[in-house]
Amino acid sequence: MFRSQDPENVSTPRTRRSFFVEDVDPTKAFIPLSSYFLMSGFLSSTSFAATYSIWSGFMTGNYTQLINAIPRLFQTDAPHTFRLVDRQALVCLLAFFLGALFGHPKALLNQRSPTSRFWLIFSTAIQALCTAAASVLIWTSRSGTIATDSLHEVWQNRWTFVALGFISFSLGLQGVVARGLNTPFGATVVLTSTFVELLSDPHLLDFTRFVYTRECKLAGCASLAIGAFVARTLMPVVGDGETLAIAAGLRVLVALSWLFVPSVPSLESSNTGEVLEKIATDGSNEQGGVQSSACTIVNAAIESAPTTSRDGVKAIDSA
C-alpha cells in the first residue's frame, strides 16, 4: 500500500553535530579572513610599539636579524652575546613555528579537514586564548607601554618574552589556518606576497566589474592598516596589556563569525544540475582562487552525496 523508500535517497536531518563537522565555503569567508588581517596588524603594531624592533608576525625581519647576529659573534670589536632584540627575535621565530606546526593538518585530530567549521572555530579560539595569556603576562610584568627607540624598549623582562611567544604562536596558527582555506587572502600574516600578487593582477585597474581576487587582497591590506592604527592609538590611552585584552576579545568575535559562514553545497540539498552549472561557471573563471574554491565545493558535495547521486555525477563527468 505504501511505497518503501530507498534509505540511500532519504536526506539525513541536519543535526548540531553535523553542522560543526561540515566544511565551510571558503569563498564566503570574506569577513573572518579580513578580520585575520586586522589581527595581524593589531598584534604586530603592539609588539613593535613596545620593542621598537620586533614584529611578532613578520618572520622575514626576525629571521634576517638572527642571521645577522651570527657574524657578530666572530668579530673582535663586538660583544660575543645575543642582544636583547636578538633573543626576542628568536623567541618570536620559534613560537611562530610551533603555532604553524600546531595547525598542520596531521598534527591534531588526525586527517581533519582544514575547512571544517569545528576546526576553524577551535583554532581561532586557541588564538584568542594565546592573546589573552599574553595580555595577562604583559599586565603582570608592570613594564612600560611605548618604546622611544630601540635602546629604550619597554618589554625586557621574562614575562614579556613569554608574552611575545604567545602572540607569535597565535599568528603562526592563524597563518596556517588561513592558508588551508586556499583563498586569494593567502596566509593573512604578511603583506609582501599580497602586494606582489595584487600589483601583478591583470585586472588590477579594471574597475568596471567585481574581481574577487583583487577585492580580497585590497580588503586584506586595508584591514591590516586599520588594525595597526587602532592598536597604536589605544596603547598610550589604555596600556599595552589592556590593548592585548581588546585583541583577545576581537579574536573571540572572529571565532564566532565562523558560525555564520555558509557550508559547501551538497548534492543532497541542491539540484545536480545546479552543481554542474556551478562547475562550469567557476571552471571558466580565470581567477585561480575562485576556481580552486569551486573545486573544493564540488568535491565535498560529491563525497557527501548518496551513492546513487555520486554514480550519476561520475557518469556525467566521464561522458
Side-chain angles (χ1 to χ4, degrees), residues 173-214:
L173 176 58
Q174 170 188 304
V176 171
V177 171
R179 189 65 186 86
L181 294 175
N182 195 24
T183 68
F185 282 99
T188 72
V189 177
V190 294
L191 285 186
T192 304
S193 58
T194 303
F195 281 141
V196 171
E197 293 172 3
L198 175 63
L199 295 176
S200 61
D201 194 320
H203 302 287
L204 174 63
L205 302 179
D206 183 6
F207 298 107
T208 60
R209 62 192 179 96
F210 179 85
V211 181
Y212 179 72
T213 53
R214 180 191 62 194

Side-chain angles (χ1 to χ4, degrees), residues 51-287:
T51 63
Y52 213 80
S53 54
I54 295 297
W55 304 96
S56 56
F58 304 156
M59 293 301 114
T60 301
N62 296 335
Y63 184 72
T64 305
Q65 185 168 296
L66 282 175
I67 299 302
N68 286 338
I70 296 176
R72 193 174 62 247
L73 298 177
F74 302 97
Q75 296 177 359
T76 57
D77 57 344
H80 295 174
T81 58
F82 274 153
R83 298 175 302 175
L84 174 64
V85 66
D86 299 329
R87 298 194 297 270
Q88 290 172 332
L90 179 61
V91 168
C92 287
L93 194 65
L94 293 177
F96 189 90
F97 286 165
L98 289 175
L101 290 174
F102 182 84
H104 192 277
K106 294 185 179 180
L108 188 69
L109 304 177
N110 189 30
Q111 301 294 334
R112 70 174 187 278
S113 170
T115 60
S116 70
R117 194 183 309 276
F118 172 78
W119 164 244
L120 294 171
I121 295 174
F122 173 75
S123 59
T124 310
I126 293 296
Q127 298 166 33
L129 289 175
C130 290
T131 309
S135 172
V136 173
L137 289 168
I138 293 298
W139 183 83
T140 305
S141 70
R142 302 295 182 182
S143 59
T145 302
I146 303 293
T148 56
D149 54 60
S150 58
L151 298 177
H152 298 88
E153 58 178 276
V154 295
W155 286 5
Q156 298 187 20
N157 58 37
R158 62 183 182 276
W159 301 114
T160 59
F161 270 79
V162 181
L164 275 173
F166 273 117
I167 295 173
S168 293
F169 183 95
S170 72
L171 290 173
L173 176 58
Q174 170 188 304
V176 171
V177 171
R179 189 65 186 86
L181 294 175
N182 195 24
T183 68
F185 282 99
T188 72
V189 177
V190 294
L191 285 186
T192 304
S193 58
T194 303
F195 281 141
V196 171
E197 293 172 3
L198 175 63
L199 295 176
S200 61
D201 194 320
H203 302 287
L204 174 63
L205 302 179
D206 183 6
F207 298 107
T208 60
R209 62 192 179 96
F210 179 85
V211 181
Y212 179 72
T213 53
R214 180 191 62 194
E215 314 310 341
C216 288
K217 294 176 176 62
L218 288 175
C221 296
S223 298
L224 191 142
I226 292 172
F229 177 84
V230 171
R232 185 59 179 82
T233 304
L234 286 174
M235 285 186 69
V237 178
V238 300
D240 46 3
E242 290 79 0
T243 301
L244 288 173
I246 294 174
L250 292 175
R251 288 277 201 200
V252 173
L253 294 179
V254 178
L256 294 177
S257 69
W258 290 112
L259 293 171
F260 303 97
V261 178
S263 304
V264 292
S266 64
L267 293 181
E268 291 183 2
S269 59
S270 60
N271 184 272
T272 305
E274 294 178 358
V275 176
L276 295 176
E277 183 179 355
K278 175 74 173 176
I279 300 174
T281 302
D282 291 334
S284 61
N285 195 310
E286 296 179 356
Q287 306 304 323

